[in-house]
Structures are given as structure tokens and as C-alpha cells.
Amino acid sequence: MKEAGTRERLPPGQVPTQKWPVLTYGETPRADLQTWAFRCFGLVHQELSWTWKEFLDLPRVEVTSDIHCVTRWSRFDNRWEGVAVAEILRRVGVRPEAVAVMAHSVAGYTTNISLADLRSDDVLLAYKHEL
């Protein structure tokens, strides 16, 4: 483990790792950054879309976090860089009746995430790991 105090951060049944375990089933999807777009629509006051270049021009934040995977591994002190989700939510103006976001991936995977979870200061759309 990287530093003192990490044993207390290891949940019961988890195993610490330094490596980056495989997080996808099957092939890792590849995005064409020339045509990639990040789009926010639905229960918002202003639907917005950003190209990859425009997305990289948004204000950047850095966050350090632990990962505790359901497959029983933990990785401590991961350094991330990206765009704060709070910045995106502020720009689109989420309507009061909205309770969750539906996230869509390049490969077609979707999942819903509660707005309460997304509004935390440490939530970001990361594009760099271990700066």
C-alpha cells in the first residue's frame, strides 16, 4: 500500500492492488475524437453539446480518490483530472423535477446516476489518471 493509514481505508473483504485491473467486459471501446461529442439534454433549461476540443477547454479540476471495486480489489490515492460534473450541471441548468442523469457511453452502455450523488464536489468526468 502506498502510505500509512490505508489499512483503515480498506473495506472488509477487499484486497489492495497497485495495478489497474481490467474494468470492461470484452474489447475496450475506442472513440473517434474527431466526431466525439458530449451532449446534455432532457430536464435541463439549456441543452448543450461539446466537441472533444471544446470539452478539454472547460475548467479542469484534480481529484484524489480511492476505488473499491465490487470484484473485491481496492486501489488507493488515484489522481484524476477532468471536468467537474457540477460545472456541466451549472451550464445546462438542471430543472427542479430532475432526480437522476442517464449516462450513455460510446459502446452503447447506459446507466442512471442520482443527481444527489453527482453534485458532490469530487465528482468529475475524468480524462486523465495518475497525471
Side-chain angles (χ1 to χ4, degrees), residues 47-67:
E47 293 187 7
L48 292 174
S49 181
W50 293 269
T51 65
W52 181 246
K53 183 183 177 328
E54 291 167 337
F55 188 77
L56 292 178
D57 288 339
L58 292 171
R60 299 174 185 203
V61 296
E62 292 182 16
V63 171
T64 299
S65 68
D66 296 344
I67 298 174

Side-chain angles (χ1 to χ4, degrees), residues 22-98:
V22 174
L23 299 176
T24 58
Y25 176 79
E27 280 190 46
T28 300
R30 302 285 178 216
D32 178 356
L33 298 182
Q34 297 301 313
T35 60
W36 181 92
F38 183 81
R39 190 168 66 108
C40 292
F41 57 94
L43 295 177
V44 296
H45 294 292
Q46 181 178 3
E47 293 187 7
L48 292 174
S49 181
W50 293 269
T51 65
W52 181 246
K53 183 183 177 328
E54 291 167 337
F55 188 77
L56 292 178
D57 288 339
L58 292 171
R60 299 174 185 203
V61 296
E62 292 182 16
V63 171
T64 299
S65 68
D66 296 344
I67 298 174
H68 306 291
C69 185
V70 296
T71 59
R72 298 192 40 216
W73 58 265
S74 290
R75 191 172 190 280
F76 295 104
D77 301 315
N78 295 274
R79 293 179 307 141
W80 305 92
E81 182 179 319
V83 176
V85 171
E87 176 72 21
I88 300 296
L89 297 177
R90 183 186 66 73
R91 288 175 183 244
V92 298
V94 178
R95 292 180 25 199
E97 63 268 29

